[in-house]
Amino acid sequence: MTTSRDPLDTAAYLVFALAVLFAAASVGNIVLPAAYARETASWAAQGLGQDWVDVLVVVPVLLLSALLARRGSRRAALVMGGATAYTTYSLVLYAFAVHFNQLFLVYGVALGAGFYALVNLVVSYSRGDRRSWLSPGRLASRAAGAFAVFLGLAFYTLWLAEIIPAIAAGRAPETLAEVGLITNPVQVLDVGIVLPAFVVGGVALLRGRRLGYWLVPVMLTFAVLMDLALIGMDVSMATRNVPGGGQRILMFAVMAAVSLGLCWGMLRSGAREN
């Protein structure tokens, strides 16, 4: 009698490959002068700041979480999902919002690895009742769920405050000129995919639905890594005297700390390892 393979196993192998490719892309962006040669000063500075965070933080998180998930850690499996979501999000920007360069194939193959890893992770998370993975207290669940909804709605408000007036005026948002793009892929990803995941996951957790018990820890992990990347971007802009650099470091640091605390509270108090 044969048993079906858990897609989590396939995802872990893909995440190992993703980590190697992502490291190659990030290091390549740092050391190859041509990588950001045609970008605006702001976009290049943001890219380099994020690359350093990716090399020093994200790649180790990908590797360690995949290794521990393969060994049966349910906490690590959820962290791996958040790290994979962040990495795939970032690779969309590399592939579609950075001028063609020597790393193009690395961006493309890595994006594919991230996408298929996410597909396998979602299938794995959706199998059975993942509430058995977590049993956080009522306060921890409500706090994490409420914060996830808050993040989603807050950033919707932020983006729509820029997008709607631009549409009404028949012009492009001013921030596009700073990065030299025809449209903002970050807004597309956030408005269409990321922010709905925060809101849906948060509401599901507040209502005790099984979707929330895996989606919220995944999205909070995503939030921690994204906030760290945004700090890296701001520091990089400030050190290169790019206008606007260094102004949001404290805000992102607070958001990262709150996201980390709530995510850790759910995982630490609830996850029961195999």
Side-chain angles (χ1 to χ4, degrees):
M1 179 178 178
T2 60
T3 59
S4 60
R5 185 185 184 89
D6 189 337
L8 183 61
D9 292 335
T10 302
Y13 287 120
L14 287 168
V15 170
F16 282 126
L18 174 63
V20 173
L21 291 165
F22 197 48
S26 300
V27 171
N29 289 335
I30 293 169
V31 302
L32 294 176
Y36 295 130
R38 289 186 286 173
E39 312 308 327
T40 65
S42 176
W43 200 233
Q46 290 179 55
L48 287 169
Q50 183 172 8
D51 289 327
W52 278 108
V53 173
D54 292 341
V55 170
L56 298 175
V57 179
V58 179
V59 169
V61 170
L62 284 169
L63 290 171
L64 182 59
S65 62
L67 176 63
L68 294 177
R70 282 283 301 138
R71 294 178 177 178
S73 171
R74 293 167 172 177
R75 296 183 181 95
L78 294 170
V79 171
M80 181 173 67
T84 302
Y86 163 86
T87 304
T88 306
Y89 178 108
S90 300
L91 286 164
V92 171
L93 302 183
Y94 286 142
F96 294 101
V98 173
H99 284 81
F100 184 89
N101 60 50
Q102 301 101 312
L103 297 168
F104 177 77
L105 284 177
V106 179
Y107 300 157
V109 175
L111 178 58
F115 172 78
Y116 287 112
L118 280 177
V119 170
N120 278 275
L121 282 167
V122 171
V123 171
S124 177
Y125 294 150
S126 300
R127 284 185 169 184
D129 190 347
R130 291 316 188 196
R131 284 174 294 192
S132 65
W133 282 21
L134 297 171
S135 56
R138 181 177 176 82
L139 179 60
S141 295
R142 294 189 68 82
F147 186 68
V149 174
F150 167 77
L151 282 180
L153 296 180
F155 277 90
Y156 260 124
T157 301
L158 176 67
W159 287 138
L160 293 179
E162 178 180 329
I163 295 169
I164 292 177
I167 292 174
R171 57 171 175 76
E174 294 179 2
T175 53
L176 288 181
E178 298 175 8
V179 295
L181 301 174
I182 59 174
T183 189
N184 190 337
V186 174
Q187 291 176 340
V188 175
L189 291 170
D190 284 358
V191 171
I193 301 173
V194 174
L195 301 183
F198 275 109
V199 174
V200 170
V203 171
L205 185 58
L206 288 170
R207 293 182 175 180
R209 305 288 175 80
R210 62 185 184 183
L211 172 67
Y213 281 82
W214 65 261
L215 185 54
V216 169
V218 165
M219 295 311 298
L220 288 177
T221 301
F222 172 95
V224 172
L225 296 178
M226 183 57 69
D227 287 331
L228 293 177
L230 290 167
I231 291 171
M233 295 178 203
D234 249 29
V235 170
S236 179
M237 291 171 67
T239 57
R240 291 168 174 78
N241 297 316
V242 175
Q247 297 179 357
R248 304 166 298 173
I249 293 175
L250 179 59
M251 179 184 72
F252 293 138
V254 170
M255 291 171 55
V258 174
S259 298
L260 179 60
L262 291 172
C263 185
W264 177 246
M266 285 196 70
L267 297 178
R268 182 175 180 272
S269 65
R272 295 194 293 269
E273 305 291 6
N274 287 335

